[in-house]
Amino acid sequence: MAGRCTTGLLLLCLTALFSCLFASPDVCSNSFIPGAKGDQGEIGEEGDEGKVGKNGPPGVPGVPGQAGLKGELGPLGKTGPGGDKGDKGDTGLDGPSGLKGKAGTTCDCGKYRRVAGQMDVSVGKLRNALKFVKNVMVGLTENEDHYYLLVREPKKFKEASLNCKLRGGALAMPNTITCNRLMADYVGQAGLTRVYIGVQAHSNYTGGTNSSQDVLSSPPQEFTAWSLDEELSPSSSNSTCVELLSTGTWGRVGCDTAMFFICEFPKSRRRGGAIGATNSSS
């Protein structure tokens, strides 16, 4: 009895197994089939603003716009500096001849000529007398611009400069070859060999060349007449004062040296009274 029950149970189990193996997938499957699409939900609230992103690459240049209208004329600026002087132009054509003048009247001009001749003779004598006074009695020499007075009083450089100022002039400053030669001859004719002049040499020099300046102004003189020794070795002496030799050359000399000097007086001013009054004492 027990064996029959066991056999029946085994057959029941096998039947159930085969029925599951060959059953429809819809019946024995474990997968879930999605359902129908639901209704659209409500729109949510607006979110916070996001972070600023990186700058993108520059775009392609746009097409140039049209030119604007011409603006109004601006105010005039300040006048600029004057330009260099231009070259001299060509000579123009001769103008037309003028009209013929009226005939002059006849007169007896002989007496006027005689008077004019006598005046010329008198003026010539006066000029010779004035020249004698200046060159012989006073001892002056001159050129077109200045009178020159050789003072025979040995003085140091500063004292000589002050003495010329008290006379109404200044220490002579030869600034041209002609003026330098005139003063050198003036020294030689007086029987002297050297005198002070109103030039001072710079203590420093550039390129082995002496430079100089006059006493009354700071810029260097354009004209110099240094001796060959001074040109070759301008630093051999620390002296800054300058002497004029009768040969026409310049040399350095100690400012404490006492010697004669030459004063100059411009012709543009009337200094004759001062020259004559003070020269009598010299």
Side-chain angles (χ1 to χ4, degrees):
M1 186 70 181
R4 291 179 182 178
C5 289
T6 302
T7 302
L9 183 59
L10 181 61
L11 290 174
L12 182 61
C13 290
L14 290 174
T15 302
L17 177 62
F18 280 107
S19 64
C20 288
L21 291 175
F22 295 101
S24 173
D26 294 337
V27 177
C28 295
S29 176
N30 292 328
S31 61
F32 296 96
I33 299 174
K37 186 176 181 181
D39 298 333
Q40 182 176 2
E42 296 180 356
I43 298 175
E45 297 179 356
E46 183 177 358
D48 298 334
E49 183 177 359
K51 296 181 180 179
V52 179
K54 296 182 179 179
N55 294 330
V60 180
V63 180
Q66 297 180 354
L69 299 177
K70 186 176 181 180
E72 298 179 355
L73 181 66
L76 294 176
K78 295 182 179 179
T79 304
D84 297 334
K85 186 177 180 180
D87 298 333
K88 185 178 181 180
D90 298 332
T91 304
L93 301 175
D94 295 335
S97 301
L99 300 177
K100 186 176 181 180
K102 296 180 181 180
T105 57
T106 58
C107 69
D108 183 12
C109 300
K111 59 180 181 180
Y112 297 109
R113 291 194 184 98
R114 287 193 298 271
V115 173
Q118 293 174 357
M119 291 180 62
D120 289 339
V121 173
S122 300
V123 170
K125 292 180 179 180
L126 182 60
R127 287 177 178 172
N128 292 333
L130 182 60
K131 185 176 181 180
F132 176 81
V133 171
K134 290 187 298 183
N135 296 342
V136 179
M137 297 183 64
V138 181
L140 295 176
T141 189
E142 62 181 313
N143 59 12
E144 295 180 355
D145 301 321
H146 294 87
Y147 294 108
Y148 298 98
L149 174 64
L150 176 60
V151 182
R152 297 172 178 268
E153 297 178 8
K155 293 183 180 296
K156 298 179 182 179
F157 182 82
K158 289 185 178 180
E159 295 173 348
S161 178
L162 179 60
N163 188 277
C164 289
K165 289 181 179 179
L166 293 176
R167 294 173 182 268
L171 271 176
M173 294 175 286
N175 51 16
T176 63
I177 296 177
T178 304
C179 180
N180 192 73
R181 186 69 264 167
L182 174 68
M183 294 173 59
D185 292 342
Y186 188 24
V187 174
Q189 292 169 4
L192 304 176
T193 57
R194 60 176 186 166
V195 292
Y196 270 132
I197 56 176
V199 177
Q200 283 191 291
H202 289 301
S203 58
N204 54 348
Y205 66 101
T206 304
T209 302
N210 260 315
S211 59
S212 62
Q213 68 179 18
D214 58 57
V215 176
L216 300 180
S217 60
S218 55
Q221 284 195 163
E222 295 180 359
F223 170 77
T224 59
W226 296 108
S227 63
L228 182 60
D229 293 338
E230 290 290 348
E231 287 290 349
L232 294 178
S233 57
S235 61
S236 61
S237 174
N238 293 325
S239 301
T240 58
C241 294
V242 178
E243 62 180 1
L244 170 66
L245 305 179
S246 58
T247 58
T249 57
W250 297 0
R252 290 172 179 253
V253 65
C255 298
D256 291 335
T257 304
M259 58 183 180
F260 298 159
F261 53 95
I262 297 179
C263 298
E264 68 177 16
F265 308 90
K267 288 185 176 181
S268 59
R269 297 182 181 180
R270 296 181 179 178
R271 300 181 182 269
I275 298 172
T278 54
N279 188 54
S280 60
S281 61
S282 63

